[in-house]
């Protein structure tokens, strides 16, 4: 019952957060410079005032701002995110078409960053604690600092130049080979090849954070009394690290991973633009250039829901790993 109450409370707060994000994004978009009706009229080659006004009426831009907000909120409740006047299709259809590509890139980058980051963090912490091969700790931490300080766009461009242009090992752009008409395992292998560079470049930045966080958490836990007690009882060093130190050291890593998933959705915008990856990040960039307000609002709503869901899952996972933590213990992470 306590867990059910915790879950219901979290879901209720998540809905409030999503509603607040929807309202704030609506007003921020309306405050942005540029009239979408004028932009669309200019693209159609008809810039007269009558045609612009006709477009404003067609897209509801002539109504008071509060009326527009209420109509938009009513549509959101009915899963109607509006119509993209630039692409001439419903916004929800466009987002659902691009969402799988973004999920694929984010999940691969997340697994790559957290697995490699935790592993290197454990290696660095063990080398530091045992005072043997201190150069391993220094090398890992220096590499993590360099990756963290390197701009994501520069890393992406250098990856393209090295592995695509110079060495020719990996494709540089797109999700799959255009015109290849592959199917089955051949298509899966082709997508995997195109996925390598975006995954590594997006994951390297977050991997550097996990390395430093895992190392710091392990060095903090490894000197605690319960670890010394386990060693005094004759527990093997590998089991002490795995069952006692790492399990407790991973708690802050899990909390931070949920927050980082939301940031990874933002980083995917730049990565998808550089690598021409057909996800919602690239779609948002195009919508911004085209002043497609309805599409922008829909993308903001979907990405906000993704971030809130990631944080909710993090809270639930944290509670399952360590039931001693009360429902209020992770409120800061959810916020």
């Amino acid at each position: 019952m306590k867990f059910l109450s915790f879950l219901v409370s979290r879901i209720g707060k998540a809905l409030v957060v999503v509603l607040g994000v929807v309202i704030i994004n609506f007003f921020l978009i309306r405050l942005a410079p540029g009239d979408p009706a004028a932009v669309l009229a200019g693209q159609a080659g008809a810039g007269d005032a009558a045609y612009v006004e006709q477009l404003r009426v067609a897209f509801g831009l002539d109504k008071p701002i509060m009326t527009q907000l209420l109509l938009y909120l009513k549509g959101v409740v009915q899963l109607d995110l509006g119509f993209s006047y630039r692409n001439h299709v419903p916004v929800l259809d466009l987002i659902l078409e691009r969402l799988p590509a973004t999920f694929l890139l984010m999940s691969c980058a997340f697994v790559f960053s957290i697995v490699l980051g935790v592993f290197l963090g454990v290696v660095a912490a063990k080398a530091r604690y045992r005072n043997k091969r201190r150069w391993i700790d220094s090398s890992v931490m220096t590499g993590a600092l360099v990756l963290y300080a390197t701009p994501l766009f520069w890393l992406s461009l250098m990856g393209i130049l090295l592995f695509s242009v110079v060495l020719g090992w990996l494709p540089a752009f797109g999700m799959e080979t255009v015109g290849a008409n592959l199917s089955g395992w051949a298509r899966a292998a082709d997508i995997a090849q195109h996925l390598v560079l975006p995954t590594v470049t997006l994951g390297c930045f977050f991997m550097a954070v996990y390395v430093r966080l895992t190392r710091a958490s392990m060095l903090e836990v490894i000197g605690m009394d319960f670890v010394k007690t386990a060693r005094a009882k004759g527990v093997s060093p590998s089991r002490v690290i795995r069952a006692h130190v790492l399990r407790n050291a991973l708690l802050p890593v899990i909390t931070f991973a949920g927050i980082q998933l939301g940031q990874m959705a933002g980083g995917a915008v730049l990565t998808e633009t550089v690598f021409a990856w057909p996800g919602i990040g690239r779609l948002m960039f195009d919508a911004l250039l085209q002043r497609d307000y309805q599409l922008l609002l829909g993308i903001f709503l979907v990405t906000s829901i993704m971030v809130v869901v990631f944080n909710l899952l993090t809270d639930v996972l944290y509670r399952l790993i360590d039931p001693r933590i009360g429902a209020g213990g992770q409120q800061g992470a959810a916020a």
Side-chain angles (χ1 to χ4, degrees), residues 3-19 308-309 311-313 315-316 331 334:
F3 181 79
L4 182 60
S5 175
F6 161 80
L7 189 59
V8 171
S9 173
R10 282 292 185 272
I11 293 175
K13 292 172 183 176
L15 292 176
V16 173
V17 169
V18 171
L19 176 62
V308 170
V309 169
N311 281 275
L312 178 63
L313 292 176
D315 285 345
V316 173
Q331 181 60 37

Side-chain angles (χ1 to χ4, degrees), residues 227-239:
V227 177
K228 296 177 182 178
T229 303
R231 283 189 178 136
K233 289 181 178 180
V235 181
S236 64
S238 59
R239 181 170 175 78

Side-chain angles (χ1 to χ4, degrees), residues 5-289:
S5 175
F6 161 80
L7 189 59
V8 171
S9 173
R10 282 292 185 272
I11 293 175
K13 292 172 183 176
L15 292 176
V16 173
V17 169
V18 171
L19 176 62
V21 168
V22 169
I23 295 174
I24 291 173
N25 283 337
F26 181 86
F27 285 111
L28 287 178
I29 287 292
R30 289 299 185 271
L31 291 174
D35 186 349
V39 173
L40 187 61
Q43 292 172 349
D48 58 287
Y51 183 66
V52 172
E53 187 60 28
Q54 182 182 351
L55 289 176
R56 290 179 59 83
V57 173
F59 296 119
L61 298 175
D62 60 323
K63 296 181 175 64
I65 188 70
M66 295 306 298
T67 303
Q68 295 182 41
L69 174 61
L70 293 176
L71 289 174
Y72 181 71
L73 291 176
K74 180 181 177 182
V76 169
V77 172
Q78 298 173 348
L79 296 182
D80 179 12
L81 303 185
F83 192 82
S84 171
Y85 56 80
R86 183 64 179 82
N87 297 277
H88 304 289
V89 292
V91 168
L92 187 60
D93 292 349
L94 265 177
I95 294 175
L96 291 179
E97 180 185 351
R98 300 289 191 97
L99 202 56
T102 296
F103 271 133
L104 178 62
L105 175 59
M106 285 180 58
S107 59
C108 290
F110 178 73
V111 172
F112 168 80
S113 62
I114 197 166
V115 170
L116 191 57
V118 170
F119 172 75
L120 292 176
V122 171
V123 170
K126 289 173 66 176
R128 176 76 178 184
Y129 180 73
R130 293 176 180 176
N131 287 322
K132 294 180 180 179
R133 299 180 179 178
R134 296 284 292 273
W135 62 268
I136 296 178
D137 177 43
S138 300
S139 300
V140 170
M141 298 310 295
T142 301
L145 181 61
V146 170
L147 287 176
Y148 184 77
T150 303
L152 187 58
F153 73 90
W154 187 88
L155 193 63
S156 302
L157 293 175
M158 291 303 104
I160 292 173
L161 288 176
L162 178 60
F163 295 105
S164 297
V165 178
V166 177
L167 299 176
W169 291 353
L170 297 169
F173 305 108
M175 185 174 176
E176 53 187 311
T177 304
V178 179
N181 296 322
L182 301 175
S183 60
W185 287 107
R187 183 168 181 259
D190 184 56
I191 293 176
Q193 260 194 319
H194 285 78
L195 190 60
V196 172
L197 276 179
T199 296
V200 173
T201 53
L202 179 59
C204 275
F205 174 83
F206 299 99
M207 180 197 70
V209 178
Y210 296 136
V211 169
R212 301 179 67 86
L213 186 58
T214 303
R215 174 185 177 273
S217 299
M218 284 197 64
L219 290 177
E220 181 181 356
V221 173
I222 209 168
M224 291 185 174
D225 291 339
F226 71 91
V227 177
K228 296 177 182 178
T229 303
R231 283 189 178 136
K233 289 181 178 180
V235 181
S236 64
S238 59
R239 181 170 175 78
V240 169
I241 292 293
R242 184 177 63 256
H244 297 277
V245 178
L246 187 57
R247 181 179 179 182
N248 288 275
L250 281 181
L251 292 177
V253 176
I254 291 172
T255 304
F256 199 71
I259 300 173
Q260 289 289 83
L261 268 173
Q263 295 180 4
M264 191 171 285
V269 175
L270 181 58
T271 306
E272 289 178 2
T273 302
V274 173
F275 290 100
W277 188 263
I280 58 174
R282 177 65 184 271
L283 184 65
M284 180 166 63
F285 180 76
D286 294 338
L288 181 63
L289 294 180

